[in-house]
Structures are given as structure tokens and as C-alpha cells.
Amino acid sequence: MLEIVSKIKDEFEAGLKAVSNSEELEALRIKFLGKKGALTDVLKSLKDMDAETKKQVGMEVNALKGEMEESLKANGKRLEEALYDMAMAASPKFDFTIPSEDNGGSLHPITIVQRRIEDIFKSMGFIIEDGIEIQTEYNNFEAVNIPKDHPARDMQDTYYLSNGQLLKTHTSAAQNYIMRKYGAPEPGKPLRVLFPGRCFRNENIDACHENTFFQMEGMMIGDDISISNLIYFMKVLLSEVFERDVKVRLRPGFFPFVEPGFELDINCLICGGEGCPTCKQSGWLELLPCGMIHPNVLRMGGIDPDKYTGFAFGLGLTRLAMMKYGIKDIRVLNSGNLKALKQFK
Ligand code: PHE
């Protein structure tokens, strides 16, 4: 019997040497230690042996069983490691500590200009607010003095949602919320807020029109705010952003939420004022509509128009980025074309 056990041992060791993957290893386990395995058979036959042989063979078989289990475990681990090494050798090599050649991503030109303007206004005491994109008709229109059936609603071709809400057509949609959030300012401490945001209008897309664009709205409300304050802030804004003198013109403009209202145009920086598709051949670009906040708008925002005045402006952020960087076609900005968008610093 002992001979048989030693033969099993040799066979097992030879088998183990030939194993090259975990399936083969499992087959080997079953062949020797499974329910009908070679060693299991010997164990089963122990009951028919006399006491002395039983003791001897039993000890041998148990020792061998332990050895086999140990070897199977060790080899399983070895095979697993080998498999991992093989996979690693076959995969491309990465060294995550090497800096990437082109420094990875880049900021979108609109983000760059937005942050620049936020910094300028923050340094002048403005708070930055965020406006939501899905708005109620009330906030987008009524609260800024554009009642139902007012022709001004047609100026902004609106995307309505099936639940009656809409995609905001201008950042002015946040005016009412902001007035209510901060309330009437303390004397000598005007409320100064800047609120950039993405806006949507159902426009036919061409070189100078997009259905998705960015605006940046600003508001200053206090007990002593006048048009001179408005003009001062607009001048600072433009000279800081363009870092050079730009020709501007101020003309009357109509917006139901300001009175008086202005259009501040800049000389087209793409063509130098000669006329091009970007400025619709006019040489000028409407960039900064603005004005003194209409008393109705203040009143709806919970601020007494007899005590307070304020100005608001709605900078065309997308246009400003185009002018700053000489981007001729607005479609580049939403294109996701990394080659084009990566150039801006
Ligand atoms: N909300 C206006 C528009 O998008 C712009 C604007 C803002 C005009 C603030 C005046 C004051 O057309």
C-alpha cells in the first residue's frame, strides 16, 4: 500500500511540473484530491485494513494530502502572478509621473474672458452670482417688465419647454431673484452683482448667430447711482479686457427693463470698422446693451424705486471673446474642435 502512496506522490509531482495554467491545476487537484481522486480512493480503502497498516498508511496519506494542498496553493499563486506579469508585458507602458507634452487641456476662450471680467469686477466690490438655465416665464419676462403679449417677447425667439418653463433667453432672468435675495442696500453700500450665464434663442446659426451663447450681466443698485456710474464701469470693463483703446459709440436702445436704455457698440476689431460678415458689414458690433433699471423692475424685486436707482448691463460675452481673440466665426466656440479651441491662452 505504501508503494501505491509513493507512486501517487511521484505522479502528482510530475503532473504539477507540467501544469501551465489554473484550469490544468484544478484538473490536477480533482485527479488526486477530488471525490474520485487517486488519494481519496486510498483514504476510502483504509477502513478495510488492519489496525497497524491503517495507522501507517493513514499517516502517510494524510501527510501527502497536506503536502499536495500546500503545493496546489503555492502553484495557484505562482500562476496568477505569471498571468498578471504576462498581461503587464503585453499592455502599453505608462509612466504616470511624466508631465504630458502639451500640458493636457486648456480653458475655453469664453471661460478665459469670463474669469478675466469676474476678476475685474470682484476687485470693484461685485459679488458673482450664478443664474439657472431653465427659467419661469415670470422671471425671464414679466419680472423684467415684459408682460404677456408685449412685442419685445418677439425680439427673443424663445425655446419653451412642455411644462411651460423656458430656456432663459437672457441673463436678465436672474435680476428679480438677485434683488430679492440681497434686498435693498444699506446707504452708501450699493448692491453690486455680476451674473454670467448661458442663454438660448431659436436663431438660425451663421457666422455671427448661435442658438446657445453666453452673456454677462451686471447690476448696481443704491441710493445714489446715475448714468455716470454706468459709463465709468463700462469704460473700465472694456479697457481692461482689450488692454488697448477701442472705439465705442453709445446710442439710445430700447429694452423694457431699462429707462433710459443704451446700446454700447464697439468698432469691429475683425475688420477695423470697414465691414465684414462678423459685424454684418456695418463696422460696429452691439456689445454692451445697458441702462438705468426701470422703476417697475425694482418694484417687482422688492426695492423701492423712489429711494433707489440702479444700472444694469448685459454684456455679450460670446461676442466679446470673439472680438478679443479675433474669432471670425461664432460656430467655432461650440464646435468642440480642440485644435481650434486650444489656441487661446
Ligand atoms: N437682456 C438684454 C438682452 O439680452 C440685455 C440687457 C441687459 C440690456 C441689461 C439692458 C440691460 O437683450
Side-chain angles (χ1 to χ4, degrees):
M1 203 30 127
L2 285 175
E3 271 165 36
I4 298 180
V5 176
S6 121
K7 214 175 135 211
I8 291 177
K9 189 179 169 177
D10 292 345
E11 266 176 35
F12 176 77
E13 274 165 7
L16 203 59
K17 273 193 196 128
V19 159
S20 62
N21 60 43
S22 47
E23 285 81 37
E24 286 173 17
L25 192 71
E26 177 60 7
L28 191 74
R29 189 190 66 78
I30 292 167
K31 186 172 169 198
F32 289 92
L33 298 173
K35 269 189 194 153
K36 290 176 185 152
L39 204 64
T40 318
D41 284 347
V42 181
L43 273 169
K44 276 182 196 157
S45 63
L46 282 180
K47 61 177 191 317
D48 307 320
M49 295 174 197
D50 59 74
E52 190 50 30
T53 330
K54 197 188 223 167
K55 196 177 158 197
Q56 248 188 340
V57 177
M59 264 168 59
E60 280 295 316
V61 171
N62 275 327
L64 181 57
K65 193 178 172 209
E67 256 172 54
M68 281 178 166
E69 279 165 351
E70 277 297 307
S71 305
L72 286 166
K73 213 161 131 193
N75 276 275
K77 217 165 155 209
R78 178 181 61 81
L79 287 170
E80 226 171 71
E81 280 166 9
L83 199 70
Y84 177 76
D85 288 346
M86 252 163 63
M88 286 307 282
S91 65
K93 298 277 173 296
F94 291 113
D95 180 348
F96 296 104
T97 62
I98 296 175
S100 81
E101 265 167 34
D102 62 356
N103 242 344
S106 62
L107 290 176
H108 192 281
I110 291 190
T111 309
I112 299 172
V113 178
Q114 178 179 331
R115 290 193 183 171
R116 175 81 190 105
I117 300 170
E118 284 178 4
D119 286 344
I120 298 166
F121 277 86
K122 269 197 259 179
S123 74
M124 298 192 288
F126 277 70
I127 304 165
I128 313 293
E129 271 283 341
D130 202 4
I132 46 175
E133 290 175 355
I134 294 179
Q135 269 293 3
T136 57
E137 261 197 285
Y138 177 82
N139 281 337
N140 198 82
F141 292 125
E142 270 109 283
V144 285
N145 207 28
I146 315 178
K148 263 203 165 60
D149 305 321
H150 192 288
R153 288 209 184 185
D154 301 337
M155 285 161 39
Q156 304 186 354
D157 227 333
T158 310
Y159 287 115
Y160 283 92
L161 305 179
S162 54
N163 66 0
Q165 291 188 314
L166 49 82
L167 297 182
K168 79 165 175 237
T169 59
H170 55 178
T171 40
S172 307
Q175 282 194 10
N176 186 270
Y177 161 81
I178 289 168
M179 285 180 202
R180 293 197 168 276
K181 176 171 175 184
Y182 293 100
E186 285 172 35
K189 279 192 185 166
L191 172 63
R192 283 161 284 186
V193 194
L194 191 71
F195 37 116
R198 181 159 47 182
C199 305
F200 309 85
R201 288 184 203 175
N202 189 3
E203 301 262 9
N204 287 328
I205 298 176
D206 60 29
C208 53
H209 293 94
E210 244 291 357
N211 56 20
T212 305
F213 55 95
F214 287 82
Q215 289 188 340
M216 180 170 275
E217 188 125 346
M219 231 169 30
M220 184 165 182
I221 301 171
D223 47 17
D224 193 19
I225 304 296
S226 69
I227 296 177
S228 328
N229 297 108
L230 167 64
I231 293 172
Y232 169 78
F233 278 99
M234 298 306 95
K235 273 189 174 160
V236 172
L237 165 65
L238 294 175
S239 64
E240 291 274 333
V241 168
F242 288 110
E243 294 164 305
R244 59 176 150 149
D245 271 341
V246 281
K247 231 165 126 188
V248 300
R249 70 175 188 194
L250 196 66
R251 57 191 171 92
F254 171 72
F255 302 94
F257 33 94
V258 284
E259 183 56 43
F262 308 99
E263 285 280 10
L264 195 150
D265 303 338
I266 68 163
N267 207 228
C268 179
L269 298 178
I270 304 274
C271 61
E274 281 176 8
C276 68
T278 312
C279 59
K280 291 186 243 166
Q281 310 302 334
S282 74
W284 293 94
L285 268 178
E286 289 174 13
L287 185 69
L288 239 174
C290 52
M292 299 304 291
I293 302 174
H294 196 287
N296 287 351
V297 177
L298 287 173
R299 200 174 294 114
M300 281 185 275
I303 293 175
D304 184 352
D306 294 329
K307 290 195 190 135
Y308 300 96
T309 51
F311 69 73
F313 62 87
L315 172 72
L317 190 57
T318 297
R319 262 188 203 166
L320 185 79
M322 289 171 72
M323 288 295 107
K324 174 148 175 84
Y325 290 116
I327 301 170
K328 294 195 181 83
D329 194 321
I330 197 170
R331 291 167 287 199
V332 167
L333 293 165
N334 289 350
S335 68
N337 178 348
L338 293 184
K339 219 165 163 189
L341 295 171
K342 265 191 167 179
Q343 301 170 49
F344 306 100
K345 291 267 155 19

